[in-house]
Amino acid sequence: MTAPGSAPDRGAPPDPATGRLVVVGASLAGLRAVESARKAGFAGSITLVGAEEHLPYDRPPLSKAHLGAGPGSEPAAPYLREEAHLREELGVDLLLGRPATALDTAARVVHVGGREVAYDAVVLATGSTARRLPGTDHLDGVHPLRTLDDARAVRRALEARARTVVVGAGFIGSEVASAARGRGLDVTVVEAQPTPLARAVGAELGAHVAAIHERHGTRLLTGVGVASVEGDGAGRVERVVLDDGTVRPADLVVVGIGVVPATGWLEGSGLRLDDGVVCDETLWAGAPGVWAAGDVVRWPNATMGETQRLENWTGAADQGAAAARNALDPAAAAAYATVPFFWSDWYDVRIQMIGSPVADEVLVVDGDPTAAGRWVALYRRGDRLIGALAVDAPAEIMKYRTQVMRGGSWDDALAHAAARRERAAGRAAGPAS
Amino acid sequence: MKITVDYDRCEGIGMCESLAPHHFQLEDNGDLTVLQAEVAPEDVSDVEEAVASCPTGALRLQ
């Protein structure tokens, strides 16, 4: 390939009829990479490598519907596609149940178990793994919530009416707490930081969001760490001891203290690893034919003006598709940029965030975050709108995403917010309160 | 081409509105309204992106 100017040599395109595309990671990003490659007309071989035995499945339901669906039979696994569809219609060679262990960028092979899987282009989409609480691996009843198997174990414990302690007041832990409360169980959430969700939504709003727990009868302890998790003689968890000496009895401990990108298998590959696979704006990972997508990617997101690593559904889906398109046509590789979005459902409350909480100012433009009910806050960076958080305001949030995508100004966002308030007041029978 | 919504799957998340605001609108109660079911050729790529971005797979364009 002859690259114009100083453009990097991202590798030659795989032959559209006989090339070999390997996708490592069989979750949402990996599946979207496969589908996008076929949609782009790639007729060569595609191998999808997955560490778990399961077919690609959807993760958002694991901490939502899967846990809260009431007593009774286990909900069906949220598989994204049927096996026959993957094998026959998409023509995918599925290599499930064993993780990739190494990437050799010189020989252009992925090591999986004892096999070497050769590639012309590879998409790294191994996602992230849940952080564990040190010293708890030997105890039954202590779980992260990341995989389908985790969700099944947590559901079984909730069915057995476990006294539940959630470690970490992030979104996953909070959804688990909601499901447990929805079943009428005793729930304590323990958060080491003084303010929950500070990294996700900023400290000020994190406190307001966290207050939703207390309004729903979930005990939230902040600024206190876990000293130890103790079991009974049979190796089952029995209690959680906190730094301040508090003891909480527990039959189930769900650990929601974040994730780390699954890059251990790439040590020694020569790729740059720094809290993820460091990619350029096109999701190219720095070696010929090597691209990445989903939670493992750290890349310069031009729309937000930040180098980011996303841990959300939308990022995984979009990056999977974009990385495969670029992998098949590296000379025309397009920059990938986005306005991040995530949502979380707690109790009967929907929380949605778009953009970035890294801001110079945060302003509540609708509702009262200290009370129950809907509210909306906007984030300003310089003179532009950079993010928005909506609690139970589904009609509001995406209008701001569109504005951030366009690089909309703060003044325009405030004018929009005022117009929305007027509209709401006009609709209400009485004065808006 | 025409948009169809599987309302049993739709959870009112709203990605579609952010990508194709002339076709999709979330209401205050989280219900999705399709503003224009018929999609003009120049809007097809935006609506396709909205369909692909639906986290619950509730949208079709055919």
Side-chain angles (χ1 to χ4, degrees):
Chain A
M1 174 186 139
T2 50
S6 61
D9 179 7
R10 298 187 174 108
D15 185 282
T18 62
R20 297 161 301 181
L21 175 65
V22 176
V23 178
V24 187
S27 193
L28 178 64
L31 175 68
R32 288 299 175 96
V34 168
E35 292 183 329
S36 156
R38 289 299 186 222
K39 195 174 175 213
F42 178 68
S45 73
I46 300 181
T47 305
L48 182 62
V49 179
E52 295 173 58
E53 298 279 355
H54 301 291
L55 293 168
Y57 58 83
D58 206 22
R59 287 184 204 279
L62 298 182
S63 53
K64 300 179 174 74
H66 204 87
L67 301 184
S73 59
E74 165 117 14
Y79 292 126
L80 290 161
R81 300 290 180 269
E82 291 177 4
E83 183 167 358
H85 177 85
L86 293 168
R87 289 190 190 278
E88 289 153 31
E89 289 181 45
L90 291 171
V92 175
D93 184 11
L94 292 173
L95 218 53
L96 302 178
R98 272 174 303 179
T101 52
L103 174 73
D104 184 335
T105 58
R108 298 206 183 193
V109 294
V110 179
H111 292 259
V112 185
R115 276 179 69 173
E116 293 187 357
V117 183
Y119 66 83
D120 299 306
V122 62
V123 176
L124 314 176
T126 42
S128 50
T129 50
R131 274 205 188 93
R132 292 181 174 272
L133 211 52
T136 60
D137 284 352
H138 63 291
L139 285 176
D140 286 340
V142 180
H143 300 282
L145 207 162
R146 178 72 193 161
T147 66
L148 178 55
D149 295 342
D150 295 335
R152 286 175 166 164
V154 171
R155 181 187 164 84
R156 276 195 298 276
L158 296 177
E159 290 274 301
R161 307 204 58 76
R163 295 165 298 173
T164 303
V165 173
V166 174
V167 181
F171 286 104
I172 296 292
S174 293
E175 290 186 346
V176 174
S178 306
R181 275 306 294 157
R183 291 164 175 267
L185 304 180
D186 180 75
V187 187
T188 303
V189 179
V190 181
E191 170 58 52
Q193 299 298 318
T195 305
L197 301 168
R199 194 172 64 93
V201 303
E204 185 187 344
L205 298 182
H208 292 314
V209 173
I212 294 169
H213 282 308
E214 276 143 353
R215 282 198 283 272
H216 288 81
T218 294
R219 192 179 299 106
L220 174 63
L221 308 175
T222 57
V224 59
V226 171
S228 63
V229 180
E230 298 175 356
D232 61 14
R236 274 212 61 80
V237 68
E238 203 169 52
R239 69 185 83 80
V240 177
V241 182
L242 306 182
D243 283 342
D244 63 1
T246 307
V247 177
R248 297 300 314 168
D251 307 304
L252 169 67
V253 176
V254 177
V255 181
I257 53 175
V259 295
V260 288
T263 55
W265 69 287
L266 296 168
E267 299 287 345
S269 66
L271 296 184
R272 206 173 136 217
L273 306 176
D274 178 12
D275 184 30
V277 178
V278 177
C279 293
D280 73 1
E281 70 281 6
T282 69
L283 305 177
W284 180 58
V290 182
W291 306 76
D295 287 20
V296 287
V297 169
R298 174 170 293 282
W299 99 114
N301 181 358
T303 303
M304 303 307 298
E306 292 175 45
T307 293
Q308 295 184 314
R309 192 173 67 74
L310 304 181
E311 298 170 356
N312 61 55
W313 191 97
T314 301
D318 292 352
Q319 289 181 359
R325 278 195 301 271
N326 287 346
L328 296 175
D329 192 1
Y336 171 75
T338 191
V339 177
F341 163 66
F342 65 78
W343 82 101
S344 188
D345 294 331
W346 302 10
Y347 315 99
D348 51 356
V349 179
R350 171 155 290 174
I351 300 151
Q352 294 168 292
M353 170 93 195
I354 62 98
S356 170
V358 180
D360 299 316
E361 179 186 358
V362 179
L363 188 66
V364 175
V365 296
D366 190 358
D368 176 4
T370 66
R374 54 173 271 152
W375 54 276
V376 179
L378 304 182
Y379 299 77
R380 176 183 66 80
R381 190 189 299 166
D383 60 1
R384 78 176 274 210
L385 174 72
I386 204 73
L389 176 69
V391 172
D392 269 346
E396 307 304 316
I397 187 77
M398 291 302 177
K399 293 171 178 67
Y400 294 109
R401 185 169 191 258
T402 311
Q403 293 184 30
V404 176
M405 258 188 262
R406 286 198 306 251
S409 75
W410 179 246
D411 288 346
D412 285 351
L414 294 184
H416 172 83
R420 297 291 294 177
R421 281 196 304 272
E422 265 176 44
R423 168 185 166 276
R427 281 185 168 193
S433 59
Chain B
M1 299 185 89
K2 199 165 179 231
I3 297 165
T4 54
V5 182
D6 180 344
Y7 282 100
D8 289 337
R9 298 179 78 102
C10 177
E11 291 183 16
I13 293 163
M15 275 305 288
C16 52
E17 177 175 338
S18 75
L19 296 165
H22 299 300
H23 291 83
F24 301 99
Q25 179 178 294
L26 263 290
E27 306 301 334
D28 291 330
N29 63 2
D31 287 351
L32 174 64
T33 298
V34 177
L35 300 173
Q36 303 175 57
E38 292 292 338
V39 181
E42 64 271 23
D43 294 338
V44 164
S45 75
D46 282 355
V47 174
E48 275 181 344
E49 200 184 338
V51 168
S53 298
C54 175
T56 63
L59 303 177
R60 293 283 177 275
L61 177 65
Q62 50 206 2

